[in-house]
Amino acid sequence: MRSFDVLIVGGGPGGSSCAWKLRGSGLRVGVLDRATFPRDKVCAGWITPQVVEELELDLEEYAKTSTCQPFHGFRVGALGGEDVAVDYGAPVSFGIRRCEFDAHLLRRSGAELILGESVRSVRSTEGGWVVNDSLRASLLVGAGGHFCPVVRLLHPAPADPGVVVAAQEVEFPLDSRAAAACTVRPELPELYFMDDLRGYGWAVRKGAFLNVGLGRQDSHDLGAHVGRFLDFLHARGGLPPGSPRKLRGHAYLLYGLSPRPLVRDHLLLVGDAAGLADPRSGEGIRPAIESGLLAASVVLRAKGRYGWSDLMPYETAMVGRFGRRDARAVSALSALVPAALRPRIARWALASRFVAKHVILDRWFLHRDLAPLPAT
Ligand SMILES: Cc1cc2nc3c(=O)[nH]c(=O)nc-3n(C[C@H](O)[C@H](O)[C@H](O)COP(=O)(O)OP(=O)(O)OC[C@H]3O[C@@H](n4cnc5c(N)ncnc54)[C@H](O)[C@@H]3O)c2cc1C
């Protein structure tokens, strides 16, 4: 039996960031993942600058071996309507490939890695848990993404799972001809919102790769929505002829609309396991990383005591960072505008440079006024 102070299930950005923050603490930290790394993750791979600072990432160094595409802004519009380009003239966020980024974060986390092993069983014991009858842990951190097996220890499958975002993407290399033909500029990814404001499609170039996809707060007819978006993109030159049209899908929950609790005795949830994606942009990497870092800070302060009351400061810290975990706190435009008026208002608003820059980009997507989490 191997014993850990902290066993993290899931080596994505949430789990690896938690482990990284615990490095050098004297705690024995393990990360268990069913995949071996590098592994891919269905994702557009767009990250905001806060995480670069929070994780002390040296992007210049990173870019020597991995794709790291600076984004100077975005082209924003309504699907089939007008669009505007907002260029900040300097990098405001970055495009990475998850197969590289996640492996990099996990490698430098300093944790003992148990890879290629799925969670088969979790048993509660005096003072902790036993996983797969072979790994003992005083504290279990559920960081296994939307379908994390640790979630059900905390929250049996609810009748109402909350608002589940269904999203699909495909990422593929562009040969030199396709790269020259593609109208999407590498430094200016494109976002096209749907008339009902319940989702958007994207086209993101990252070095030699193009990632296209679409996410919606409603999985009904997702394939048809994706098909229409690909046709639209193709017609405007954003999807070169011969590009793959078979996309991979995944799901996630939005912060404020997820019913999953965060804490129980000897157990914490971070990232998609907790359902933390931003309700307006769908950004999930920063919330996963920040929740992992906040969880680790609470673990460090708990000094080996992992009862419910010792871990509750994590929930308080999360509310401090992300706001009250309450559906009423979510002010998505789709909830504010009556359904019948949405298409007209969406097209008008999305064609406005002011709305695109100051509301959609500055506030919803880039959180320009949000400082990175302090290192302490
Ligand atoms: C199509 C799509 C596009 C997206 N685009 C973006 C984007 O551009 N930017 C952004 O910020 N967010 C994006 N997101 C959301 C983002 O991908 C997630 O929020 C983020 O990956 C969450 O990180 P995580 O560490 O919580 O979980 P994950 O990255 O999902 O990692 C979970 C890990 O747990 C492991 N695991 C799962 N089950 C088990 C098990 N039973 N046993 C052991 N290990 C297990 C998995 O192998 C995986 O390595 C997108 C999501 C989708 C679906």
Side-chain angles (χ1 to χ4, degrees):
M1 184 84 68
R2 285 163 80 181
S3 290
F4 295 92
D5 296 297
V6 182
L7 181 64
I8 301 169
V9 171
S16 62
S17 301
C18 183
W20 177 77
K21 180 93 182 173
L22 294 173
R23 74 200 184 286
S25 64
L27 295 172
R28 189 169 176 193
V29 179
V31 175
L32 169 73
D33 201 298
R34 67 180 171 196
T36 54
F37 284 64
R39 64 99 178 87
D40 212 356
K41 158 76 178 77
V42 177
C43 187
W46 156 68
I47 58 169
T48 36
Q50 287 90 345
V51 306
V52 176
E53 196 164 325
E54 289 159 355
L55 293 179
E56 298 168 23
L57 289 172
D58 180 344
L59 286 189
E60 229 172 88
E61 197 56 33
Y62 178 78
K64 286 182 185 162
T65 53
S66 307
T67 297
C68 182
Q69 174 69 56
F71 298 148
H72 290 196
F74 291 83
R75 182 174 289 283
V76 178
L79 195 47
E82 287 180 47
D83 56 76
V84 291
V86 179
D87 191 335
Y88 294 83
V92 286
S93 56
F94 304 91
I96 48 80
R97 300 194 69 218
R98 291 293 299 270
C99 51
E100 297 168 343
F101 188 69
D102 290 16
H104 176 76
L105 296 188
L106 189 59
R107 204 180 308 121
R108 60 170 219 156
S109 71
E112 286 179 50
L113 305 182
I114 308 131
L115 302 179
E117 179 174 335
S118 219
V119 170
R120 295 182 305 278
S121 65
V122 183
R123 251 183 316 112
S124 163
T125 61
E126 182 69 23
W129 306 91
V130 172
V131 175
N132 292 352
D133 294 323
S134 60
L135 306 164
R136 187 184 293 281
S138 306
L139 173 69
L140 201 56
V141 176
H146 183 64
F147 299 105
C148 180
V150 174
V151 173
R152 55 179 176 266
L153 301 174
L154 218 142
H155 195 231
D160 174 9
V163 176
V164 181
V165 174
Q168 296 186 354
E169 59 89 17
V170 61
E171 183 164 303
F172 52 95
L174 295 173
D175 61 26
S176 53
R177 237 172 79 176
C182 181
T183 54
V184 179
R185 284 164 50 194
E187 71 285 5
L188 218 59
E190 304 192 356
L191 307 173
Y192 297 101
F193 290 81
M194 308 172 85
D195 276 351
D196 63 2
L197 296 173
R198 301 202 73 193
Y200 66 90
W202 65 84
V204 177
R205 275 181 75 174
K206 299 182 286 188
F209 293 84
L210 177 65
N211 184 302
V212 298
L214 180 140
R216 268 183 75 71
Q217 289 186 19
D218 168 11
S219 61
H220 187 66
D221 266 349
L222 184 65
H225 288 295
V226 168
R228 274 196 291 280
F229 176 60
L230 296 184
D231 290 343
F232 161 81
L233 210 52
H234 177 71
R236 52 185 293 132
L239 189 65
S243 298
R245 288 182 67 103
K246 196 168 159 31
L247 279 66
R248 306 174 306 161
H250 201 62
Y252 55 87
L253 295 169
L254 300 171
Y255 187 84
L257 297 171
S258 154
R260 296 182 182 180
L262 301 176
V263 175
R264 124 172 212 192
D265 275 351
H266 299 266
L267 200 154
L268 295 171
L269 294 183
V270 305
D272 275 7
L276 304 181
D278 185 281
R280 285 161 292 201
S281 65
E283 178 188 22
I285 298 173
R286 181 179 59 82
I289 288 170
E290 292 186 346
S291 61
L293 296 174
L294 290 172
S297 297
V298 169
V299 171
L300 291 171
R301 282 200 299 273
K303 298 200 185 325
R305 292 183 306 274
Y306 303 129
W308 181 81
S309 58
D310 304 300
L311 299 177
M312 269 314 274
Y314 170 57
E315 192 154 318
T316 311
M318 289 293 288
V319 171
R321 181 63 173 173
F322 296 100
R324 272 178 51 212
R325 223 161 169 258
D326 168 340
R328 282 166 300 174
V330 176
S331 57
L333 186 56
S334 62
L336 296 176
V337 181
L341 293 178
R342 275 180 215 154
R344 213 179 305 164
I345 291 183
R347 278 167 192 257
W348 166 79
L350 290 163
S352 147
R353 176 175 302 279
F354 183 88
V355 174
K357 179 173 188 302
H358 296 286
V359 180
I360 296 172
L361 295 180
D362 285 356
R363 293 186 55 189
W364 295 2
F365 275 72
L366 297 171
H367 309 283
R368 300 264 287 173
D369 53 353
L370 184 72
L373 284 178
T376 51

